[in-house]
Amino acid sequence: MSLTPELSPQPRLLIVGGGYAGFHIAKALQTKVKDRGGVVTLVDPLPYMQYQPFLPEIVGGHIEGRHAVVDHQTHLKDTEVVRGTVVKVEHARKVATVRGEDGAEFELPYQDVVMTAGATTRVFPIPGLGENGIGLKTVEEAVALRNQILERLDAASLSTDAEERRRALTFVVVGGGFAGIETVAEMENVIRTAVERNERLSQSEVRIVLVEAMGRIMPEVSEDQAENVVKHLQDRGIEVLLNTSLGDATGRVMTLTDMKSEDKAVKEKFPADTLVWTAGVAANGVAKQTDFPVEQRGRIEVTPTLQVKDGESGVLEGAWGCGDVCAVPDLTGSGPGGFCVPNAQHAVRQAKQLAANYMAVRHGEGEVAEYVHKSLGAVAGLGFLKGVGNPMGLKINGVPAWLAHRGYHIYAMPTLERRFRIASGWIAETLFGRDTTSVSGQDTPFNAFRAAAGVELEPVRFEQRERDTAQAEPAI
């Protein structure tokens, strides 16, 4: 253990995770706790909160990646922000172990703790997936995916090798939930626009494939709406393969298996440079590195008052939690398994209730109340002027759904400053069209200087991949 950095000696409310729930709790409590002689400390490896519902819009080029994040230091001025990762919480000792950016670990004592570490991408042990896939859980991934798509289109337009060209123009998205559907729709939009602007490419050469293991997509909407979305995507040239899973991605060759066959027979095999994984999330692994009760899906067990459970009917003093890392009971009875679904709609409302309950328990202000919220429905954007949803139980499609999608999410985005930046991007796109510029050298930013200095250049992403997979199975 290294020595603890110079941090406040005041009674500490420690917030583990600065995502949507953690940010809102810190914002609600920082001044109140400070005025009572304490300090709110937020620990997160990132210096900002990222609004994940906007990630597909970043891929589509509607908004800039940096506009979908909210800086902790700027907007949490009365919060002690620590850049690091909580690797262990020992509530019996009231101590958390934090790993700093330099890799050194130190102990951080606290009076109360709030677990809001969120979720991570759920990945299965599929050969080649880790080496060749990309997720869509972070702003960095969204920006990188957009650049990769545009770079692959540029590369294909200059390639005279039919196999390389076909591989570069094949795009695969695994996962038919909201994230996967929004992502593949935005990808199709930006690909179509970029191809129209490149006379060396044609739409008929592009192949976009959506892979979903279940027999339907988007469980958040009605079955007839889901079927209409499938037809909509197919009309745009996207192949929607239901009851299909990714069995292997070694060497950037996609092996798809038939989930309806008893022996999971191979359905198709083809090369693709771009593989996007959106097949679900899992609770942050820090939940299992605590002495809190954890249920079978790896989430911390909390009560409807958002306090960590202690046995069947009790609560642990000074321990709170909400958001994706916790199994929050859904008292409306509509949540799967009796728990709230992991989304921003629940996270912000849970954060508000947790902050109020904390003040009631710790400082005797107000009454403790249970978290109850009936879902307002869901809306999804399917590209410019396209959408689907069921807000307040009303089934809507097309432009109304697209407007509802954008309206809700810009309202839910914290801070007026970020809302203005996002809206200005939308206005600019409407007036001047979609930006299809690729910042292809983003992964190798030092190469221009190295070339000038006459030193060895850092290999670009796909050249590096070729070396890594030189012995892999040849493309089919």
Side-chain angles (χ1 to χ4, degrees):
M1 291 272 182
S2 68
L3 295 177
T4 304
E6 187 176 344
L7 298 172
S8 173
Q10 298 168 296
R12 175 174 287 107
L13 168 59
L14 173 63
I15 301 176
V16 180
Y20 208 54
F23 175 87
H24 279 84
I25 292 168
K27 192 170 181 62
L29 293 177
Q30 58 180 354
T31 303
K32 295 177 180 179
V33 171
K34 179 181 179 181
D35 290 345
R36 289 159 179 79
V39 62
V40 172
T41 300
L42 184 146
V43 180
D44 195 283
L46 296 175
Y48 49 75
M49 182 223 86
Q50 52 190 359
Y51 189 66
Q52 294 178 1
F54 276 144
L55 297 186
E57 293 231 2
I58 295 172
V59 175
H62 305 300
I63 61 178
E64 291 292 326
R66 67 185 185 279
H67 294 168
V69 303
V70 180
D71 179 60
H72 291 150
Q73 295 281 8
T74 301
H75 298 282
L76 299 176
K77 296 186 182 298
D78 289 321
T79 295
E80 182 180 59
V81 178
V82 176
R83 183 90 178 267
T85 302
V86 174
V87 295
K88 184 168 60 175
V89 175
E90 300 172 79
H91 193 63
R93 298 175 54 217
K94 296 287 187 76
V95 167
T97 301
V98 180
R99 180 180 298 128
E101 289 189 277
D102 60 357
E105 296 184 356
F106 59 91
E107 289 189 342
L108 190 60
Y110 62 81
Q111 181 182 52
D112 302 290
V113 65
V114 180
M115 300 299 298
T116 57
T120 59
T121 302
R122 180 182 62 182
V123 180
F124 300 122
I126 298 172
L129 174 60
E131 295 80 6
N132 301 304
I134 185 171
L136 197 68
K137 201 73 174 63
T138 68
V139 168
E140 293 84 355
E141 287 176 321
V143 173
L145 174 58
R146 171 178 167 77
N147 284 331
Q148 176 170 318
I149 291 169
L150 296 172
E151 187 276 332
R152 288 291 83 197
L153 294 175
D154 288 342
S157 71
L158 298 174
S159 176
T160 57
D161 184 289
E163 178 59 32
E164 287 183 1
R165 191 178 178 97
R166 183 164 60 252
R167 181 193 290 267
L169 294 175
T170 302
F171 306 87
V172 179
V173 177
V174 180
F178 257 50
I181 298 301
E182 289 188 319
T183 300
V184 77
E186 291 290 0
M187 288 173 61
E188 190 277 334
N189 263 188
V190 73
I191 290 169
R192 180 173 296 278
T193 302
V195 169
E196 288 174 353
R197 295 173 177 175
N198 192 324
E199 61 184 14
R200 294 187 296 271
L201 294 173
S202 67
Q203 301 291 347
S204 61
E205 294 181 281
V206 176
R207 185 181 186 191
I208 305 174
V209 183
L210 175 70
V211 177
E212 169 53 48
M214 305 300 291
R216 62 162 290 183
I217 62 170
M218 304 179 77
E220 299 90 345
V221 300
S222 65
E223 189 166 351
D224 63 311
Q225 282 186 301
E227 291 173 353
N228 288 336
V229 171
V230 169
K231 185 177 184 305
H232 169 80
L233 295 177
Q234 291 172 335
D235 289 344
R236 290 166 61 177
I238 299 171
E239 298 176 40
V240 181
L241 305 181
L242 303 179
N243 297 303
T244 305
S245 68
L246 177 68
D248 198 306
T250 303
R252 286 180 282 135
V253 175
M254 308 298 119
T255 301
L256 305 183
T257 59
D258 186 350
M259 295 298 290
K260 297 182 75 173
S261 65
E262 293 184 4
D263 59 350
K264 301 294 188 295
V266 173
K267 196 170 187 175
E268 191 177 359
K269 204 170 186 178
F270 57 89
D273 276 343
T274 304
L275 169 62
V276 187
W277 182 266
T278 65
V281 297
N284 193 302
V286 71
K288 296 181 179 179
Q289 305 305 315
T290 70
D291 48 4
F292 300 138
V294 176
E295 45 91 82
Q296 60 183 4
R297 293 184 60 183
R299 298 175 298 181
I300 296 170
E301 296 182 350
V302 299
T303 67
T305 59
L306 306 173
Q307 295 168 279
V308 177
K309 279 187 173 182
D310 183 14
E312 290 299 319
S313 57
V315 297
L316 287 171
E317 187 274 329
W320 304 79
C322 68
D324 298 357
V325 77
C326 296
V328 180
D330 187 344
L331 299 185
T332 69
S334 59
F339 298 102
C340 296
V341 296
N343 62 23
Q345 185 181 140
H346 278 299
V348 66
R349 289 171 171 81
Q350 289 170 7
K352 182 178 179 180
Q353 188 63 64
L354 190 153
N357 286 351
Y358 173 81
M359 291 302 296
V361 171
R362 176 56 65 189
H363 299 289
E365 297 185 7
E367 299 291 332
V368 176
E370 295 181 332
Y371 173 74
V372 183
H373 172 67
K374 185 172 178 59
S375 175
L376 300 176
V379 286
L382 302 177
F384 192 65
L385 300 179
K386 309 176 187 73
V388 63
N390 54 9
M392 308 299 290
L394 178 65
K395 294 181 181 179
I396 56 176
N397 300 283
V399 175
W402 175 77
L403 289 172
H405 164 77
R406 284 199 163 180
Y408 173 77
H409 287 303
I410 198 168
Y411 167 77
M413 183 72 186
T415 80
L416 179 63
E417 173 252 344
R418 289 291 141 173
R419 293 171 189 164
F420 179 83
R421 292 182 187 276
I422 290 166
S424 64
W426 288 342
I427 293 170
E429 179 189 45
T430 303
L431 293 175
F432 305 112
R434 188 191 302 268
D435 186 350
T436 55
T437 305
S438 168
V439 187
S440 58
Q442 186 167 280
D443 290 337
T444 55
F446 302 108
N447 276 358
F449 185 79
R450 289 175 180 174
V455 300
E456 183 180 356
L457 302 185
E458 183 180 349
V460 298
R461 186 175 184 184
F462 279 90
E463 288 178 356
Q464 181 66 52
R465 282 187 178 182
E466 292 295 340
R467 285 201 292 271
D468 292 344
T469 59
Q471 302 304 317
E473 181 178 353
I476 294 175

